[in-house]
Short mmCIF file of all heavy atoms in Angstrom, two decimals:
data_model
loop_
_atom_site.label_atom_id
_atom_site.label_comp_id
_atom_site.label_asym_id
_atom_site.label_seq_id
_atom_site.Cartn_x
_atom_site.Cartn_y
_atom_site.Cartn_z
N ASP A 135 -5.04 2.61 -5.87
CA ASP A 135 -3.89 2.55 -6.79
C ASP A 135 -3.43 1.10 -6.89
O ASP A 135 -2.37 0.74 -6.37
CB ASP A 135 -2.76 3.45 -6.27
CG ASP A 135 -1.66 3.63 -7.30
OD1 ASP A 135 -1.72 2.97 -8.35
OD2 ASP A 135 -0.73 4.42 -7.05
N PRO A 136 -4.23 0.24 -7.52
CA PRO A 136 -3.95 -1.20 -7.50
C PRO A 136 -2.64 -1.59 -8.15
O PRO A 136 -2.00 -2.55 -7.72
CB PRO A 136 -5.14 -1.80 -8.24
CG PRO A 136 -5.66 -0.69 -9.10
CD PRO A 136 -5.44 0.56 -8.29
N SER A 137 -2.22 -0.88 -9.18
CA SER A 137 -1.00 -1.27 -9.89
C SER A 137 0.21 -1.16 -8.96
O SER A 137 1.07 -2.04 -8.92
CB SER A 137 -0.79 -0.39 -11.11
OG SER A 137 0.39 -0.77 -11.80
N ARG A 138 0.24 -0.08 -8.16
CA ARG A 138 1.36 0.12 -7.25
C ARG A 138 1.29 -0.80 -6.04
O ARG A 138 2.21 -1.53 -5.73
CB ARG A 138 1.40 1.58 -6.78
CG ARG A 138 2.59 1.90 -5.87
CD ARG A 138 2.37 3.22 -5.14
NE ARG A 138 1.29 3.09 -4.17
CZ ARG A 138 0.69 4.13 -3.58
NH1 ARG A 138 1.03 5.35 -3.90
NH2 ARG A 138 -0.26 3.93 -2.70
N ASP A 139 0.16 -0.76 -5.35
CA ASP A 139 0.07 -1.42 -4.06
C ASP A 139 -0.14 -2.93 -4.16
O ASP A 139 0.51 -3.69 -3.46
CB ASP A 139 -1.04 -0.79 -3.22
CG ASP A 139 -0.70 0.63 -2.81
OD1 ASP A 139 0.14 0.79 -1.92
OD2 ASP A 139 -1.26 1.56 -3.40
N VAL A 140 -1.06 -3.35 -5.03
CA VAL A 140 -1.34 -4.78 -5.12
C VAL A 140 -0.13 -5.53 -5.65
O VAL A 140 0.26 -6.57 -5.12
CB VAL A 140 -2.58 -5.05 -5.98
CG1 VAL A 140 -2.81 -6.54 -6.15
CG2 VAL A 140 -3.82 -4.40 -5.34
N LYS A 141 0.48 -5.01 -6.70
CA LYS A 141 1.60 -5.71 -7.30
C LYS A 141 2.85 -5.68 -6.42
O LYS A 141 3.61 -6.64 -6.36
CB LYS A 141 1.92 -5.12 -8.68
CG LYS A 141 0.86 -5.39 -9.73
CD LYS A 141 0.68 -6.89 -9.97
CE LYS A 141 1.94 -7.54 -10.47
NZ LYS A 141 1.90 -8.04 -11.80
N LYS A 142 3.07 -4.57 -5.71
CA LYS A 142 4.30 -4.44 -4.94
C LYS A 142 4.20 -5.09 -3.57
O LYS A 142 5.15 -5.72 -3.09
CB LYS A 142 4.66 -2.96 -4.77
CG LYS A 142 5.99 -2.74 -4.06
CD LYS A 142 6.36 -1.27 -4.04
CE LYS A 142 7.71 -1.06 -3.36
NZ LYS A 142 8.09 0.38 -3.34
N PHE A 143 3.03 -4.96 -2.92
CA PHE A 143 2.92 -5.40 -1.54
C PHE A 143 1.93 -6.54 -1.34
O PHE A 143 1.73 -6.98 -0.20
CB PHE A 143 2.49 -4.23 -0.64
CG PHE A 143 3.43 -3.05 -0.69
CD1 PHE A 143 3.01 -1.83 -1.20
CD2 PHE A 143 4.73 -3.17 -0.24
CE1 PHE A 143 3.87 -0.75 -1.24
CE2 PHE A 143 5.60 -2.09 -0.29
CZ PHE A 143 5.18 -0.87 -0.78
N GLY A 144 1.31 -7.03 -2.41
CA GLY A 144 0.26 -8.03 -2.27
C GLY A 144 0.75 -9.46 -2.34
O GLY A 144 1.77 -9.76 -2.97
N LYS A 145 0.02 -10.34 -1.68
CA LYS A 145 0.25 -11.77 -1.80
C LYS A 145 -1.10 -12.47 -1.78
O LYS A 145 -2.05 -12.02 -1.14
CB LYS A 145 1.15 -12.29 -0.68
CG LYS A 145 0.48 -12.34 0.69
CD LYS A 145 1.36 -13.02 1.73
CE LYS A 145 0.65 -13.11 3.07
NZ LYS A 145 1.49 -13.79 4.10
N LEU A 146 -1.16 -13.57 -2.49
CA LEU A 146 -2.38 -14.36 -2.52
C LEU A 146 -2.42 -15.26 -1.31
O LEU A 146 -1.40 -15.83 -0.91
CB LEU A 146 -2.39 -15.20 -3.80
CG LEU A 146 -3.73 -15.79 -4.25
CD1 LEU A 146 -4.66 -14.69 -4.72
CD2 LEU A 146 -3.51 -16.81 -5.33
N VAL A 147 -3.60 -15.36 -0.68
CA VAL A 147 -3.78 -16.31 0.42
C VAL A 147 -4.81 -17.35 0.01
O VAL A 147 -5.75 -17.05 -0.72
CB VAL A 147 -4.19 -15.60 1.73
CG1 VAL A 147 -3.09 -14.69 2.24
CG2 VAL A 147 -5.48 -14.81 1.55
N GLN A 148 -4.59 -18.56 0.48
CA GLN A 148 -5.44 -19.68 0.09
C GLN A 148 -6.84 -19.53 0.67
O GLN A 148 -6.99 -19.14 1.84
CB GLN A 148 -4.81 -20.99 0.56
CG GLN A 148 -5.52 -22.24 0.09
CD GLN A 148 -5.51 -22.36 -1.42
OE1 GLN A 148 -6.46 -21.94 -2.06
NE2 GLN A 148 -4.45 -22.92 -1.97
N THR A 149 -7.85 -19.81 -0.12
CA THR A 149 -9.23 -19.72 0.36
C THR A 149 -9.90 -21.08 0.45
O THR A 149 -10.88 -21.23 1.16
CB THR A 149 -10.08 -18.84 -0.59
OG1 THR A 149 -10.22 -19.51 -1.85
CG2 THR A 149 -9.43 -17.48 -0.79
N GLY A 150 -9.41 -22.04 -0.29
CA GLY A 150 -10.06 -23.33 -0.31
C GLY A 150 -11.25 -23.38 -1.24
O GLY A 150 -11.94 -24.40 -1.33
N HIS A 151 -11.50 -22.27 -1.96
CA HIS A 151 -12.63 -22.20 -2.90
C HIS A 151 -12.11 -21.71 -4.24
O HIS A 151 -11.50 -20.63 -4.32
CB HIS A 151 -13.70 -21.25 -2.38
CG HIS A 151 -14.24 -21.61 -1.03
ND1 HIS A 151 -15.20 -22.57 -0.84
CD2 HIS A 151 -13.92 -21.16 0.21
CE1 HIS A 151 -15.46 -22.68 0.46
NE2 HIS A 151 -14.69 -21.84 1.11
N SER A 152 -12.36 -22.45 -5.29
CA SER A 152 -11.82 -22.10 -6.60
C SER A 152 -12.42 -20.82 -7.16
O SER A 152 -11.82 -20.18 -8.02
CB SER A 152 -12.05 -23.25 -7.59
OG SER A 152 -13.45 -23.51 -7.73
N ASP A 153 -13.60 -20.43 -6.67
CA ASP A 153 -14.26 -19.24 -7.20
C ASP A 153 -14.05 -18.02 -6.32
O ASP A 153 -14.68 -16.98 -6.52
CB ASP A 153 -15.76 -19.49 -7.39
CG ASP A 153 -16.45 -19.90 -6.08
OD1 ASP A 153 -15.73 -20.24 -5.12
OD2 ASP A 153 -17.70 -19.88 -6.04
N VAL A 154 -13.15 -18.11 -5.34
CA VAL A 154 -12.87 -17.00 -4.43
C VAL A 154 -11.37 -16.69 -4.47
O VAL A 154 -10.54 -17.59 -4.38
CB VAL A 154 -13.30 -17.32 -2.99
CG1 VAL A 154 -12.91 -16.18 -2.04
CG2 VAL A 154 -14.80 -17.57 -2.92
N VAL A 155 -11.04 -15.41 -4.61
CA VAL A 155 -9.66 -14.96 -4.62
C VAL A 155 -9.47 -14.00 -3.45
O VAL A 155 -10.23 -13.05 -3.29
CB VAL A 155 -9.30 -14.26 -5.94
CG1 VAL A 155 -7.89 -13.68 -5.88
CG2 VAL A 155 -9.42 -15.22 -7.12
N SER A 156 -8.46 -14.25 -2.63
CA SER A 156 -8.18 -13.42 -1.46
C SER A 156 -6.75 -12.90 -1.55
O SER A 156 -5.81 -13.68 -1.70
CB SER A 156 -8.36 -14.23 -0.17
OG SER A 156 -8.02 -13.47 0.97
N ILE A 157 -6.59 -11.58 -1.46
CA ILE A 157 -5.27 -10.97 -1.58
C ILE A 157 -5.02 -10.05 -0.38
O ILE A 157 -5.82 -9.16 -0.10
CB ILE A 157 -5.16 -10.17 -2.89
CG1 ILE A 157 -5.26 -11.14 -4.08
CG2 ILE A 157 -3.86 -9.38 -2.94
CD1 ILE A 157 -5.31 -10.47 -5.42
N GLU A 158 -3.92 -10.31 0.31
CA GLU A 158 -3.53 -9.47 1.43
C GLU A 158 -2.47 -8.48 0.97
O GLU A 158 -1.51 -8.85 0.29
CB GLU A 158 -2.95 -10.32 2.56
CG GLU A 158 -2.49 -9.50 3.76
CD GLU A 158 -1.71 -10.33 4.76
OE1 GLU A 158 -0.51 -10.56 4.54
OE2 GLU A 158 -2.33 -10.74 5.75
N VAL A 159 -2.66 -7.21 1.33
CA VAL A 159 -1.72 -6.16 0.94
C VAL A 159 -1.22 -5.47 2.21
O VAL A 159 -2.01 -4.95 2.98
CB VAL A 159 -2.37 -5.13 0.00
CG1 VAL A 159 -1.36 -4.08 -0.41
CG2 VAL A 159 -2.96 -5.82 -1.23
N ARG A 160 0.09 -5.50 2.40
CA ARG A 160 0.71 -4.79 3.52
C ARG A 160 2.14 -4.44 3.16
O ARG A 160 2.78 -5.15 2.38
CB ARG A 160 0.67 -5.61 4.81
CG ARG A 160 1.56 -6.83 4.82
CD ARG A 160 1.68 -7.42 6.23
NE ARG A 160 0.49 -8.06 6.70
CZ ARG A 160 -0.08 -7.78 7.87
NH1 ARG A 160 0.45 -6.85 8.66
NH2 ARG A 160 -1.17 -8.41 8.26
N ASP A 161 2.62 -3.35 3.71
CA ASP A 161 4.00 -2.94 3.51
C ASP A 161 4.77 -3.35 4.76
O ASP A 161 4.61 -2.74 5.82
CB ASP A 161 4.09 -1.42 3.30
CG ASP A 161 5.51 -0.94 3.01
OD1 ASP A 161 6.46 -1.73 3.20
OD2 ASP A 161 5.67 0.24 2.64
N PRO A 162 5.62 -4.38 4.67
CA PRO A 162 6.31 -4.86 5.87
C PRO A 162 7.24 -3.81 6.48
O PRO A 162 7.58 -3.90 7.66
CB PRO A 162 7.09 -6.07 5.35
CG PRO A 162 7.22 -5.86 3.88
CD PRO A 162 5.96 -5.15 3.47
N LYS A 163 7.64 -2.82 5.70
CA LYS A 163 8.53 -1.78 6.21
C LYS A 163 7.76 -0.67 6.91
O LYS A 163 8.35 0.18 7.57
CB LYS A 163 9.37 -1.21 5.08
CG LYS A 163 10.34 -2.21 4.47
CD LYS A 163 11.17 -1.57 3.38
CE LYS A 163 12.14 -2.58 2.76
NZ LYS A 163 12.97 -1.95 1.68
N ARG A 164 6.42 -0.64 6.73
CA ARG A 164 5.60 0.40 7.35
C ARG A 164 4.40 -0.23 8.04
O ARG A 164 3.26 -0.09 7.63
CB ARG A 164 5.12 1.41 6.28
CG ARG A 164 6.23 2.06 5.48
CD ARG A 164 7.22 2.83 6.36
NE ARG A 164 6.60 3.92 7.09
CZ ARG A 164 6.52 5.16 6.62
NH1 ARG A 164 6.99 5.46 5.41
NH2 ARG A 164 5.96 6.10 7.35
N PRO A 165 4.62 -0.97 9.12
CA PRO A 165 3.51 -1.65 9.80
C PRO A 165 2.46 -0.69 10.34
O PRO A 165 1.31 -1.09 10.55
CB PRO A 165 4.22 -2.40 10.95
CG PRO A 165 5.50 -1.66 11.15
CD PRO A 165 5.91 -1.18 9.79
N GLU A 166 2.84 0.58 10.54
CA GLU A 166 1.86 1.54 11.05
C GLU A 166 0.76 1.83 10.05
O GLU A 166 -0.28 2.40 10.40
CB GLU A 166 2.57 2.84 11.47
CG GLU A 166 3.13 3.67 10.33
CD GLU A 166 4.54 3.26 9.91
OE1 GLU A 166 4.97 2.13 10.25
OE2 GLU A 166 5.21 4.07 9.25
N PHE A 167 0.97 1.46 8.78
CA PHE A 167 -0.05 1.68 7.76
C PHE A 167 -1.12 0.60 7.80
O PHE A 167 -2.14 0.70 7.11
CB PHE A 167 0.58 1.72 6.37
CG PHE A 167 1.43 2.94 6.12
CD1 PHE A 167 2.17 3.05 4.96
CD2 PHE A 167 1.49 3.97 7.04
CE1 PHE A 167 2.96 4.18 4.72
CE2 PHE A 167 2.27 5.10 6.81
CZ PHE A 167 3.02 5.20 5.64
#
Side-chain angles (χ1 to χ4, degrees):
D135 191 354
S137 181
R138 183 196 68 194
D139 292 285
V140 176
K141 291 299 299 247
K142 184 175 181 180
F143 302 116
K145 71 173 183 179
L146 197 69
V147 294
Q148 186 63 265
T149 68
H151 302 278
S152 61
D153 58 346
V154 176
V155 174
S156 177
I157 295 174
E158 179 190 81
V159 182
R160 69 168 71 232
D161 183 348
K163 295 182 180 180
R164 304 300 299 269
E166 69 273 18
F167 291 173

